[in-house]
Amino acid sequence: MSTALEGGCACGEIRFRLTSEPLFVHCCHCLNCQRQTGSAFVINAIIETDRIELLAGEPRPVDVPRGKTGKQRIFRCATCQVAVFSRYTRASTRFVRAGTLDDPSRVAPDVHIYTRSKLPWVTLPDSVPAFTTYYDPKELWPAASLERLAALRGSKARR
Ligand SMILES: [Zn+2]
Ligand SMILES: [Zn+2]
């Protein structure tokens, strides 16, 4: 890895640096992500919360309904309201919106999920796994990422 991945919001109030490569990168085509982004999909770089170093600003958490029952906490710049990352179930990981990186080409999807609602004009490459809904990380994540995840979960999953 050459230089650390850095990113931020549109107005520059929020700046962050990822202190390692992400665990895995999701491209999610679900209806929630489409609505939240107003676009065809979201690119989420999953990383341990403590590997996001805030260089400037304090992202403000906003709870956003997700589906009929779920909630998702989206962290936004208080000034320009750009969403920089979100939290799903686990507090120990964040889903960094890869489009907020200064160089978004530094990450690419490792998997496409919820392709059942993928927009018909989006063509996916054969080289990247794609699932109509979700998938089993144990089958897809590199060993090093699974170990990092196990470390987060504590002794239960530790080998
Ligand atoms: Zn901002
Ligand atoms: Zn989604």
Side-chain angles (χ1 to χ4, degrees):
M1 179 173 150
S2 45
T3 52
L5 288 163
E6 289 191 13
C9 66
C11 75
E13 188 173 308
I14 305 287
R15 293 291 304 162
F16 64 85
R17 175 187 295 143
L18 306 185
T19 62
S20 77
E21 291 293 309
L23 292 158
F24 213 62
V25 180
H26 284 177
C27 185
C28 186
H29 301 261
C30 84
L31 293 171
N32 294 313
C33 290
Q34 289 172 350
R35 187 182 299 277
Q36 286 168 14
T37 58
S39 188
F41 50 74
V42 71
I43 312 161
N44 281 325
I46 309 169
I47 193 164
E48 294 91 331
T49 304
D50 62 8
R51 294 191 186 202
I52 301 175
E53 186 186 345
L54 275 174
L55 305 174
E58 193 61 54
R60 176 189 289 175
V62 180
D63 285 335
V64 178
R66 177 163 158 253
K68 288 195 174 68
T69 51
K71 273 236 171 72
Q72 175 185 349
R73 183 158 284 188
I74 299 181
F75 292 83
R76 295 180 175 277
C77 170
T79 301
C80 72
Q81 302 289 324
V82 164
V84 285
F85 33 81
S86 58
R87 172 196 163 167
Y88 288 81
T89 48
R90 206 179 288 128
S92 53
T93 56
R94 291 281 182 271
F95 286 53
V96 177
R97 296 211 169 169
T100 65
L101 295 171
D102 295 337
D103 182 0
S105 71
R106 292 271 305 275
V107 300
D110 294 310
V111 65
H112 290 272
I113 57 175
Y114 290 97
T115 59
R116 66 182 178 191
S117 49
K118 178 183 79 60
L119 296 182
W121 45 265
V122 173
T123 308
L124 302 182
D126 292 333
S127 55
V128 179
F131 296 85
T132 52
T133 57
Y134 209 64
Y135 69 101
D136 184 359
K138 284 192 215 68
E139 287 175 10
L140 236 51
W141 285 30
S145 293
L146 287 172
E147 274 168 30
R148 282 162 62 184
L149 192 67
L152 287 179
R153 284 173 175 162
S155 54
K156 198 181 80 179
R158 204 168 283 155
R159 273 176 281 177

